[in-house]
Amino acid sequence: MPSSEAARVIAGFTLGERLSAGLYGEVFRARSEDDRREVRALLVDKALAAEPAFAAALMDDSRRTVTALVSRAIVTTHAIARTSTQLLVVTEPVLGGATLQDLL
């Protein structure tokens, strides 16, 4: 993130450099406030976050299941958090690897 831009703290995670943007929102390097581990944080697009069905699917229906999944074959989701206006999905960082486009 450019040094002129102030760091944002959302749901206990400090967002750093923006890594990408896509259909679901923006992905940032982030750090948890409690143990300072580096993670990746998807700041869900505001329009999607405002959709009650979308937010409920993430927050109520799948949060416990998704955050309990731990395998070398998938990216671990550490947290799914909501503030009054924002929705955040926090995962482990994926270093290296190939994208689906690379594989195709």
Side-chain angles (χ1 to χ4, degrees):
M1 144 179 352
S3 59
S4 62
E5 191 174 325
R8 292 188 283 176
V9 177
I10 299 173
F13 294 90
T14 301
L15 304 186
E17 173 190 5
R18 186 179 100 162
L19 299 172
S20 66
L23 179 64
Y24 292 106
E26 298 176 291
V27 177
F28 293 86
R29 285 185 199 277
R31 291 216 174 261
S32 63
E33 287 190 322
D34 57 353
D35 62 12
R36 305 296 298 161
R37 67 184 160 170
E38 184 174 321
V39 294
R40 297 298 178 261
L42 168 67
L43 182 57
V44 176
D45 177 79
K46 288 183 183 199
L48 281 175
E51 284 291 324
F54 184 87
L58 280 177
M59 294 300 298
D60 301 333
D61 303 336
S62 65
R63 180 171 39 177
R64 284 182 299 257
T65 303
V66 170
T67 57
L69 293 174
V70 178
S71 169
R72 290 180 44 177
I74 61 172
V75 176
T76 300
T77 300
H78 294 299
I80 301 171
R82 184 175 187 94
T83 68
S84 60
T85 60
Q86 297 170 311
L87 189 55
L88 196 67
V89 179
V90 180
T91 68
E92 67 181 335
V94 177
L95 306 172
T99 66
L100 180 57
Q101 185 167 346
D102 293 339
L103 296 173
L104 294 174

